[in-house]
Amino acid sequence: MRSQTSQRGFTLLELLVVMVIIGLLAAYVGPRFFSQIGKSEVKAARAQIDALEKALDQYRLDLGRYPTSEQGLAALMERPAGEQRWGGPYLKKAVPNDPWGRPYAYRQPGEHGEYDLSSLGKDGQPGGSGEAEDINNWQ
């Protein structure tokens, strides 16, 4: 005859099996999840460059030229000295850094067009591929 006071619960072996299964699932899903994060940062950088291009084009419509390299992208938010026709600010918020926390490189005149606007990507070094690839306005 069994006692009514028998306890139910999980054995140590059952808990270990469940933990191994969860670990295997995390190992399978984790890399796929984190690769999507890298892709979203690249997409965000491309979107920011597109928005900056539109603001630069509006600046050019008002002043007849793009900001100089010395004025930089700050000219989109603050009136450069001596610019009477400046109609900014041309962005709703401050000039953003790229998704990796570094400022966008702006050069006018550019080597690839009237101006060059770029980010060095995740690695912060020229060149690279994948997430480390440079993102710019001339590709």
Side-chain angles (χ1 to χ4, degrees):
M1 179 177 250
R2 288 196 173 195
S3 165
Q4 295 282 351
T5 62
S6 68
Q7 295 181 358
R8 295 185 172 227
F10 296 105
T11 66
L12 180 59
L13 183 61
E14 291 170 328
L15 289 174
L16 288 174
V17 168
V18 168
M19 289 175 54
V20 166
I21 291 171
I22 290 172
L24 290 172
L25 287 172
Y28 178 73
V29 173
R32 293 174 187 245
F33 174 74
F34 288 114
S35 72
Q36 294 301 317
I37 291 175
K39 289 179 184 176
S40 67
E41 289 172 332
V42 170
K43 287 180 183 177
R46 291 191 194 286
Q48 286 177 335
I49 285 177
D50 184 56
L52 290 169
E53 284 182 303
K54 289 176 180 161
L56 286 164
D57 288 342
Q58 185 63 45
Y59 181 100
R60 181 178 181 216
L61 286 174
D62 287 350
L63 279 83
R65 61 173 181 75
Y66 290 109
T68 64
S69 294
E70 292 76 29
Q71 291 170 327
L73 297 175
L76 298 174
M77 294 301 296
E78 297 176 15
R79 179 190 306 267
E83 299 291 357
Q84 300 304 319
R85 295 182 6 211
W86 188 82
Y90 297 97
L91 297 170
K92 291 182 182 179
K93 297 180 182 177
V95 176
N97 285 334
D98 69 14
W100 302 279
R102 292 182 294 275
Y104 285 99
Y106 173 76
R107 181 175 28 198
Q108 195 281 327
E111 294 177 6
H112 305 279
E114 293 186 70
Y115 63 88
D116 291 348
L117 183 59
S118 63
S119 165
L120 294 176
K122 184 175 185 175
D123 65 352
Q125 301 295 320
S129 62
E131 294 176 30
E133 183 178 6
D134 296 352
I135 302 158
N136 49 54
N137 69 322
W138 60 85
Q139 288 181 346

